[in-house]
Amino acid sequence: MTISRLPTAALSLKQFLQRQRILGIYRNMLKTIRQVPSEGDRKYLRDWARDEFKRNKSATNPDAIRMMVSQANNHLEELQKSLALARS
Amino acid sequence: MASRVLLQCVRSLGRPSLRLSSANLAVRAAAAPAAAHRPLSFAADSRRPRWLGRSPIPSVGVLCRQYGDLPPLTLETIKDRVMYVLKLYDKINPEKVKLQTSSHFMKDLGLDSLDQVEIIMAMEDEFGFEIPDAEAEKLMSPAEIVQYIADKKDVYE
């Protein structure tokens, strides 16, 4: 379990780092979503991000986790690129 | 002695009004240099009744600058704003769990780390400054958030 609800079981170092990384991605995503111009889009994206992260919260397979992390990174990059395009 | 002090006060207040009012050249020349005591004091004397006749507030308004700024932060206001933001958060059910400053997000309110990230982002929005990741993940209760913001904004009590 990477994002555990309560820190009951001690996480191994790799799991701990992964957890921090995922929280960092979530943070960056929320910060990027803040820059979206329209309020309705912002709300939709925030709910989407929240659902995605919560849905996969209890995944245990490390390969699946890594795949989801890279997927999240791709989404984030896409969002940032389209925002940069929209701004220019 | 007292009259000289009074004249100096009037001169310092009256100088901008002298510039503003359509004064003759002599008075303007007297108003510009700061060292011209005697002609200026006579000018201030002669001008004083007229200056007092007008409302003195505009001339003082020219002297002081006005800056726009937010009201100063106190621990009380920070606490109120933090609790207000938390009340607006939809994951916290106010009936089921009483929200206090000492309630731990994870242990008492049953939130998880994703919710805690969202709460910290909401606090960043509310107070208008960035909270770095390393310190954000340690803030686990409203009291800690208030303490952190007070430290960052130099709010003492």
Side-chain angles (χ1 to χ4, degrees), chain B residues 92-145:
Chain B
I92 299 178
N93 196 347
E95 291 91 45
K96 275 210 306 202
V97 178
K98 251 187 54 66
L99 180 62
Q100 297 164 324
T101 44
S102 57
S103 30
H104 195 268
F105 289 143
M106 299 205 176
K107 292 188 215 155
D108 298 331
L109 301 175
L111 303 171
D112 65 358
S113 46
L114 292 173
D115 298 325
Q116 195 255 352
V117 170
E118 287 178 25
I119 290 176
I120 299 296
M121 300 280 296
M123 296 297 161
E124 283 184 8
D125 281 335
E126 167 72 24
F127 288 98
F129 70 100
E130 286 262 330
I131 303 179
D133 281 4
E135 311 188 5
E137 67 188 18
K138 296 191 202 123
L139 303 172
M140 282 294 164
S141 74
E144 286 180 21
I145 297 178

Short mmCIF file of all heavy atoms in Angstrom, two decimals, chain B residues 92-145:
data_model
loop_
_atom_site.label_atom_id
_atom_site.label_comp_id
_atom_site.label_asym_id
_atom_site.label_seq_id
_atom_site.Cartn_x
_atom_site.Cartn_y
_atom_site.Cartn_z
N ILE B 92 -14.98 17.46 5.25
CA ILE B 92 -15.13 17.49 6.70
C ILE B 92 -16.60 17.67 7.01
O ILE B 92 -17.18 18.72 6.70
CB ILE B 92 -14.31 18.63 7.32
CG1 ILE B 92 -12.83 18.42 7.00
CG2 ILE B 92 -14.50 18.66 8.81
CD1 ILE B 92 -11.97 19.52 7.53
N ASN B 93 -17.19 16.69 7.63
CA ASN B 93 -18.61 16.76 7.98
C ASN B 93 -18.76 17.41 9.35
O ASN B 93 -18.33 16.84 10.35
CB ASN B 93 -19.17 15.32 8.00
CG ASN B 93 -20.67 15.33 7.97
OD1 ASN B 93 -21.29 16.36 8.17
ND2 ASN B 93 -21.26 14.18 7.71
N PRO B 94 -19.37 18.59 9.45
CA PRO B 94 -19.36 19.29 10.74
C PRO B 94 -20.22 18.62 11.81
O PRO B 94 -19.94 18.75 13.00
CB PRO B 94 -19.91 20.68 10.40
CG PRO B 94 -20.65 20.51 9.12
CD PRO B 94 -20.01 19.39 8.39
N GLU B 95 -21.27 17.87 11.38
CA GLU B 95 -22.11 17.25 12.42
C GLU B 95 -21.42 16.07 13.06
O GLU B 95 -21.45 15.90 14.27
CB GLU B 95 -23.45 16.78 11.83
CG GLU B 95 -24.38 17.89 11.41
CD GLU B 95 -24.15 18.25 9.97
OE1 GLU B 95 -24.06 17.31 9.15
OE2 GLU B 95 -24.05 19.44 9.66
N LYS B 96 -20.78 15.27 12.20
CA LYS B 96 -20.23 14.03 12.74
C LYS B 96 -19.04 14.28 13.65
O LYS B 96 -18.89 13.66 14.69
CB LYS B 96 -19.80 13.10 11.59
CG LYS B 96 -20.93 12.27 11.05
CD LYS B 96 -20.48 10.92 10.50
CE LYS B 96 -19.41 11.08 9.47
NZ LYS B 96 -19.30 9.95 8.56
N VAL B 97 -18.18 15.19 13.23
CA VAL B 97 -16.95 15.41 14.00
C VAL B 97 -16.84 16.88 14.32
O VAL B 97 -16.97 17.73 13.45
CB VAL B 97 -15.71 14.98 13.19
CG1 VAL B 97 -14.47 15.25 13.97
CG2 VAL B 97 -15.80 13.52 12.84
N LYS B 98 -16.57 17.18 15.56
CA LYS B 98 -16.40 18.59 15.95
C LYS B 98 -15.04 19.08 15.48
O LYS B 98 -14.03 18.45 15.76
CB LYS B 98 -16.52 18.72 17.47
CG LYS B 98 -17.82 19.41 17.87
CD LYS B 98 -17.91 19.70 19.33
CE LYS B 98 -16.76 20.47 19.93
NZ LYS B 98 -16.60 21.82 19.49
N LEU B 99 -15.04 20.22 14.80
CA LEU B 99 -13.79 20.73 14.28
C LEU B 99 -13.16 21.69 15.28
O LEU B 99 -13.71 22.73 15.59
CB LEU B 99 -14.06 21.44 12.95
CG LEU B 99 -12.85 22.03 12.26
CD1 LEU B 99 -11.87 20.94 11.91
CD2 LEU B 99 -13.29 22.74 11.00
N GLN B 100 -12.02 21.31 15.79
CA GLN B 100 -11.30 22.21 16.70
C GLN B 100 -9.92 22.45 16.14
O GLN B 100 -9.48 21.78 15.21
CB GLN B 100 -11.17 21.56 18.09
CG GLN B 100 -12.47 21.32 18.76
CD GLN B 100 -12.26 20.35 19.92
OE1 GLN B 100 -11.46 19.43 19.81
NE2 GLN B 100 -12.95 20.56 21.00
N THR B 101 -9.23 23.39 16.76
CA THR B 101 -7.89 23.66 16.25
C THR B 101 -6.94 22.52 16.52
O THR B 101 -5.94 22.34 15.86
CB THR B 101 -7.31 24.93 16.90
OG1 THR B 101 -7.59 24.87 18.29
CG2 THR B 101 -7.92 26.16 16.31
N SER B 102 -7.28 21.70 17.52
CA SER B 102 -6.34 20.64 17.84
C SER B 102 -6.70 19.33 17.16
O SER B 102 -6.04 18.32 17.41
CB SER B 102 -6.31 20.43 19.36
OG SER B 102 -7.61 20.13 19.79
N SER B 103 -7.73 19.33 16.32
CA SER B 103 -8.11 18.05 15.71
C SER B 103 -7.13 17.69 14.60
O SER B 103 -6.87 18.46 13.70
CB SER B 103 -9.54 18.10 15.17
OG SER B 103 -9.89 19.38 14.76
N HIS B 104 -6.64 16.48 14.71
CA HIS B 104 -5.66 15.96 13.75
C HIS B 104 -6.41 15.57 12.49
O HIS B 104 -7.48 14.96 12.56
CB HIS B 104 -5.00 14.74 14.39
CG HIS B 104 -3.75 14.32 13.69
ND1 HIS B 104 -3.74 13.39 12.69
CD2 HIS B 104 -2.47 14.70 13.86
CE1 HIS B 104 -2.50 13.21 12.28
NE2 HIS B 104 -1.70 13.98 12.96
N PHE B 105 -5.87 15.91 11.32
CA PHE B 105 -6.58 15.63 10.07
C PHE B 105 -6.80 14.15 9.88
O PHE B 105 -7.88 13.69 9.52
CB PHE B 105 -5.81 16.18 8.88
CG PHE B 105 -5.81 17.67 8.81
CD1 PHE B 105 -4.69 18.35 8.39
CD2 PHE B 105 -6.92 18.40 9.16
CE1 PHE B 105 -4.68 19.73 8.31
CE2 PHE B 105 -6.92 19.78 9.09
CZ PHE B 105 -5.79 20.43 8.67
N MET B 106 -5.72 13.39 10.13
CA MET B 106 -5.81 11.97 9.80
C MET B 106 -6.45 11.17 10.92
O MET B 106 -7.28 10.31 10.68
CB MET B 106 -4.43 11.44 9.50
CG MET B 106 -3.81 12.15 8.33
SD MET B 106 -2.59 11.12 7.55
CE MET B 106 -2.12 12.12 6.19
N LYS B 107 -6.06 11.48 12.17
CA LYS B 107 -6.53 10.63 13.26
C LYS B 107 -7.96 10.99 13.67
O LYS B 107 -8.78 10.12 13.89
CB LYS B 107 -5.61 10.78 14.47
CG LYS B 107 -4.24 10.21 14.24
CD LYS B 107 -3.43 10.21 15.52
CE LYS B 107 -1.97 10.49 15.19
NZ LYS B 107 -1.24 11.07 16.29
N ASP B 108 -8.25 12.31 13.81
CA ASP B 108 -9.57 12.69 14.30
C ASP B 108 -10.58 12.86 13.18
O ASP B 108 -11.74 12.48 13.30
CB ASP B 108 -9.49 14.01 15.08
CG ASP B 108 -8.61 13.88 16.30
OD1 ASP B 108 -8.53 12.76 16.82
OD2 ASP B 108 -8.02 14.89 16.70
N LEU B 109 -10.18 13.48 12.08
CA LEU B 109 -11.14 13.81 11.04
C LEU B 109 -11.20 12.77 9.94
O LEU B 109 -12.01 12.89 9.03
CB LEU B 109 -10.79 15.18 10.42
CG LEU B 109 -10.78 16.33 11.43
CD1 LEU B 109 -10.30 17.60 10.76
CD2 LEU B 109 -12.17 16.54 11.98
N GLY B 110 -10.35 11.76 10.01
CA GLY B 110 -10.42 10.68 9.05
C GLY B 110 -10.07 11.06 7.62
O GLY B 110 -10.53 10.43 6.68
N LEU B 111 -9.27 12.09 7.46
CA LEU B 111 -8.86 12.45 6.11
C LEU B 111 -7.60 11.69 5.75
O LEU B 111 -6.95 11.10 6.60
CB LEU B 111 -8.58 13.95 6.04
CG LEU B 111 -9.74 14.85 6.44
CD1 LEU B 111 -9.26 16.27 6.54
CD2 LEU B 111 -10.83 14.76 5.42
N ASP B 112 -7.23 11.71 4.47
CA ASP B 112 -5.98 11.05 4.10
C ASP B 112 -5.03 12.07 3.50
O ASP B 112 -5.33 13.26 3.45
CB ASP B 112 -6.25 9.88 3.15
CG ASP B 112 -6.82 10.37 1.84
OD1 ASP B 112 -7.03 11.57 1.70
OD2 ASP B 112 -7.05 9.51 0.98
N SER B 113 -3.88 11.58 3.05
CA SER B 113 -2.83 12.51 2.68
C SER B 113 -3.21 13.35 1.46
O SER B 113 -2.79 14.51 1.34
CB SER B 113 -1.52 11.76 2.42
OG SER B 113 -1.78 10.64 1.60
N LEU B 114 -4.02 12.79 0.56
CA LEU B 114 -4.46 13.59 -0.59
C LEU B 114 -5.32 14.76 -0.12
O LEU B 114 -5.19 15.88 -0.62
CB LEU B 114 -5.27 12.72 -1.56
CG LEU B 114 -4.50 11.63 -2.29
CD1 LEU B 114 -5.44 10.76 -3.07
CD2 LEU B 114 -3.49 12.24 -3.22
N ASP B 115 -6.20 14.49 0.86
CA ASP B 115 -7.03 15.57 1.39
C ASP B 115 -6.17 16.61 2.08
O ASP B 115 -6.43 17.81 2.00
CB ASP B 115 -8.05 15.01 2.38
CG ASP B 115 -8.99 14.04 1.73
OD1 ASP B 115 -9.31 14.26 0.55
OD2 ASP B 115 -9.39 13.07 2.39
N GLN B 116 -5.12 16.12 2.76
CA GLN B 116 -4.27 17.07 3.46
C GLN B 116 -3.57 17.97 2.44
O GLN B 116 -3.43 19.18 2.69
CB GLN B 116 -3.25 16.29 4.30
CG GLN B 116 -2.53 17.11 5.33
CD GLN B 116 -1.12 17.39 4.91
OE1 GLN B 116 -0.64 16.86 3.93
NE2 GLN B 116 -0.46 18.25 5.65
N VAL B 117 -3.16 17.40 1.31
CA VAL B 117 -2.55 18.23 0.26
C VAL B 117 -3.54 19.29 -0.20
O VAL B 117 -3.20 20.47 -0.36
CB VAL B 117 -2.09 17.34 -0.91
CG1 VAL B 117 -1.68 18.18 -2.10
CG2 VAL B 117 -0.94 16.46 -0.50
N GLU B 118 -4.80 18.86 -0.40
CA GLU B 118 -5.81 19.83 -0.86
C GLU B 118 -6.02 20.93 0.15
O GLU B 118 -6.16 22.11 -0.20
CB GLU B 118 -7.14 19.11 -1.10
CG GLU B 118 -7.14 18.26 -2.33
CD GLU B 118 -8.46 17.53 -2.51
OE1 GLU B 118 -9.48 18.04 -1.99
OE2 GLU B 118 -8.47 16.47 -3.12
N ILE B 119 -6.03 20.55 1.44
CA ILE B 119 -6.25 21.57 2.48
C ILE B 119 -5.10 22.57 2.48
O ILE B 119 -5.32 23.79 2.56
CB ILE B 119 -6.38 20.90 3.87
CG1 ILE B 119 -7.71 20.14 3.94
CG2 ILE B 119 -6.30 21.92 4.98
CD1 ILE B 119 -7.88 19.38 5.21
N ILE B 120 -3.88 22.07 2.36
CA ILE B 120 -2.73 23.00 2.37
C ILE B 120 -2.78 23.91 1.14
O ILE B 120 -2.45 25.11 1.23
CB ILE B 120 -1.41 22.21 2.43
CG1 ILE B 120 -1.35 21.38 3.69
CG2 ILE B 120 -0.23 23.16 2.38
CD1 ILE B 120 -1.34 22.19 4.95
N MET B 121 -3.20 23.36 0.00
CA MET B 121 -3.33 24.21 -1.19
C MET B 121 -4.37 25.30 -0.96
O MET B 121 -4.19 26.46 -1.37
CB MET B 121 -3.77 23.39 -2.41
CG MET B 121 -2.84 22.29 -2.78
SD MET B 121 -1.44 22.86 -3.70
CE MET B 121 -2.17 23.48 -5.14
N ALA B 122 -5.49 24.93 -0.28
CA ALA B 122 -6.52 25.93 0.01
C ALA B 122 -5.96 27.01 0.92
O ALA B 122 -6.27 28.21 0.77
CB ALA B 122 -7.73 25.25 0.65
N MET B 123 -5.11 26.63 1.88
CA MET B 123 -4.51 27.62 2.76
C MET B 123 -3.58 28.53 1.98
O MET B 123 -3.51 29.75 2.22
CB MET B 123 -3.71 26.93 3.88
CG MET B 123 -4.54 26.11 4.81
SD MET B 123 -5.71 27.13 5.68
CE MET B 123 -6.86 25.91 6.22
N GLU B 124 -2.83 27.94 1.03
CA GLU B 124 -1.97 28.78 0.19
C GLU B 124 -2.77 29.81 -0.56
O GLU B 124 -2.38 30.98 -0.67
CB GLU B 124 -1.21 27.92 -0.82
CG GLU B 124 -0.04 27.16 -0.29
CD GLU B 124 0.68 26.41 -1.39
OE1 GLU B 124 0.34 26.61 -2.57
OE2 GLU B 124 1.56 25.62 -1.06
N ASP B 125 -3.93 29.38 -1.10
CA ASP B 125 -4.79 30.30 -1.83
C ASP B 125 -5.30 31.40 -0.91
O ASP B 125 -5.35 32.57 -1.28
CB ASP B 125 -6.00 29.56 -2.40
CG ASP B 125 -5.65 28.81 -3.66
OD1 ASP B 125 -4.69 29.23 -4.32
OD2 ASP B 125 -6.33 27.82 -3.96
N GLU B 126 -5.70 31.00 0.30
CA GLU B 126 -6.30 31.96 1.22
C GLU B 126 -5.31 33.03 1.65
O GLU B 126 -5.62 34.21 1.67
CB GLU B 126 -6.85 31.20 2.43
CG GLU B 126 -7.23 32.06 3.61
CD GLU B 126 -8.49 32.85 3.37
OE1 GLU B 126 -9.29 32.42 2.54
OE2 GLU B 126 -8.66 33.90 4.00
N PHE B 127 -4.08 32.59 2.00
CA PHE B 127 -3.15 33.55 2.57
C PHE B 127 -2.20 34.12 1.54
O PHE B 127 -1.44 35.01 1.84
CB PHE B 127 -2.37 32.90 3.72
CG PHE B 127 -3.21 32.69 4.93
CD1 PHE B 127 -3.79 31.47 5.18
CD2 PHE B 127 -3.46 33.72 5.81
CE1 PHE B 127 -4.59 31.28 6.29
CE2 PHE B 127 -4.24 33.53 6.92
CZ PHE B 127 -4.81 32.31 7.17
N GLY B 128 -2.22 33.55 0.33
CA GLY B 128 -1.49 34.20 -0.75
C GLY B 128 0.00 33.96 -0.76
O GLY B 128 0.73 34.73 -1.37
N PHE B 129 0.52 32.93 -0.11
CA PHE B 129 1.94 32.66 -0.23
C PHE B 129 2.16 31.16 -0.31
O PHE B 129 1.34 30.37 0.13
CB PHE B 129 2.74 33.27 0.91
CG PHE B 129 2.52 32.61 2.24
CD1 PHE B 129 3.44 31.69 2.73
CD2 PHE B 129 1.43 32.91 3.01
CE1 PHE B 129 3.26 31.09 3.96
CE2 PHE B 129 1.24 32.31 4.25
CZ PHE B 129 2.15 31.39 4.72
N GLU B 130 3.30 30.78 -0.90
CA GLU B 130 3.58 29.38 -1.17
C GLU B 130 4.10 28.68 0.08
O GLU B 130 4.90 29.24 0.82
CB GLU B 130 4.66 29.29 -2.25
CG GLU B 130 4.17 29.61 -3.63
CD GLU B 130 3.84 28.36 -4.41
OE1 GLU B 130 4.48 27.33 -4.16
OE2 GLU B 130 2.95 28.42 -5.25
N ILE B 131 3.63 27.45 0.26
CA ILE B 131 4.15 26.61 1.35
C ILE B 131 4.91 25.47 0.69
O ILE B 131 4.32 24.68 -0.05
CB ILE B 131 2.99 26.06 2.20
CG1 ILE B 131 2.15 27.21 2.76
CG2 ILE B 131 3.54 25.22 3.33
CD1 ILE B 131 0.99 26.75 3.59
N PRO B 132 6.22 25.35 0.91
CA PRO B 132 6.98 24.29 0.24
C PRO B 132 6.56 22.91 0.68
O PRO B 132 6.02 22.73 1.78
CB PRO B 132 8.43 24.60 0.64
CG PRO B 132 8.34 25.46 1.83
CD PRO B 132 7.07 26.21 1.73
N ASP B 133 6.83 21.93 -0.19
CA ASP B 133 6.35 20.56 0.03
C ASP B 133 6.83 19.98 1.34
O ASP B 133 6.07 19.33 2.07
CB ASP B 133 6.85 19.66 -1.11
CG ASP B 133 6.01 19.85 -2.34
OD1 ASP B 133 5.12 20.72 -2.31
OD2 ASP B 133 6.23 19.13 -3.32
N ALA B 134 8.12 20.19 1.62
CA ALA B 134 8.71 19.54 2.79
C ALA B 134 8.00 19.97 4.07
O ALA B 134 7.78 19.16 4.97
CB ALA B 134 10.19 19.89 2.87
N GLU B 135 7.63 21.25 4.14
CA GLU B 135 6.98 21.71 5.36
C GLU B 135 5.49 21.45 5.31
O GLU B 135 4.85 21.32 6.35
CB GLU B 135 7.25 23.20 5.52
CG GLU B 135 8.71 23.49 5.36
CD GLU B 135 9.08 24.91 5.69
OE1 GLU B 135 8.21 25.66 6.13
OE2 GLU B 135 10.24 25.26 5.50
N ALA B 136 4.93 21.37 4.10
CA ALA B 136 3.48 21.20 3.99
C ALA B 136 3.05 19.84 4.50
O ALA B 136 1.99 19.71 5.10
CB ALA B 136 3.06 21.38 2.55
N GLU B 137 3.88 18.84 4.29
CA GLU B 137 3.44 17.49 4.65
C GLU B 137 3.46 17.29 6.16
O GLU B 137 2.89 16.33 6.66
CB GLU B 137 4.34 16.46 3.99
CG GLU B 137 5.74 16.48 4.54
CD GLU B 137 6.66 15.60 3.73
OE1 GLU B 137 6.30 15.26 2.61
OE2 GLU B 137 7.71 15.25 4.26
N LYS B 138 4.09 18.21 6.90
CA LYS B 138 4.16 18.02 8.35
C LYS B 138 2.96 18.65 9.05
O LYS B 138 2.73 18.38 10.23
CB LYS B 138 5.43 18.67 8.89
CG LYS B 138 6.67 18.05 8.38
CD LYS B 138 7.87 18.53 9.15
CE LYS B 138 9.11 18.34 8.31
NZ LYS B 138 9.85 19.57 8.10
N LEU B 139 2.21 19.52 8.33
CA LEU B 139 1.14 20.25 9.01
C LEU B 139 -0.08 19.36 9.08
O LEU B 139 -0.75 19.12 8.08
CB LEU B 139 0.82 21.52 8.24
CG LEU B 139 2.01 22.44 8.04
CD1 LEU B 139 1.66 23.57 7.10
CD2 LEU B 139 2.45 23.01 9.37
N MET B 140 -0.36 18.86 10.29
CA MET B 140 -1.41 17.85 10.40
C MET B 140 -2.59 18.28 11.23
O MET B 140 -3.46 17.47 11.50
CB MET B 140 -0.82 16.58 11.03
CG MET B 140 -0.04 15.77 10.04
SD MET B 140 -1.13 15.13 8.79
CE MET B 140 0.06 14.66 7.57
N SER B 141 -2.63 19.54 11.66
CA SER B 141 -3.81 19.98 12.42
C SER B 141 -3.92 21.49 12.23
O SER B 141 -2.95 22.15 11.87
CB SER B 141 -3.67 19.64 13.90
OG SER B 141 -2.75 20.51 14.50
N PRO B 142 -5.13 22.05 12.42
CA PRO B 142 -5.28 23.50 12.24
C PRO B 142 -4.34 24.32 13.11
O PRO B 142 -3.84 25.36 12.68
CB PRO B 142 -6.75 23.75 12.60
CG PRO B 142 -7.43 22.46 12.38
CD PRO B 142 -6.43 21.41 12.69
N ALA B 143 -4.10 23.83 14.33
CA ALA B 143 -3.22 24.60 15.22
C ALA B 143 -1.82 24.72 14.63
O ALA B 143 -1.18 25.78 14.67
CB ALA B 143 -3.16 23.94 16.60
N GLU B 144 -1.35 23.60 14.03
CA GLU B 144 -0.02 23.64 13.42
C GLU B 144 0.02 24.60 12.24
O GLU B 144 1.01 25.29 12.02
CB GLU B 144 0.39 22.23 12.95
CG GLU B 144 0.77 21.30 14.07
CD GLU B 144 1.17 19.93 13.54
OE1 GLU B 144 1.52 19.83 12.35
OE2 GLU B 144 1.11 18.97 14.32
N ILE B 145 -1.09 24.62 11.47
CA ILE B 145 -1.13 25.52 10.32
C ILE B 145 -1.06 26.97 10.79
O ILE B 145 -0.33 27.80 10.23
CB ILE B 145 -2.41 25.28 9.49
CG1 ILE B 145 -2.40 23.87 8.93
CG2 ILE B 145 -2.51 26.29 8.37
CD1 ILE B 145 -3.64 23.53 8.14
#
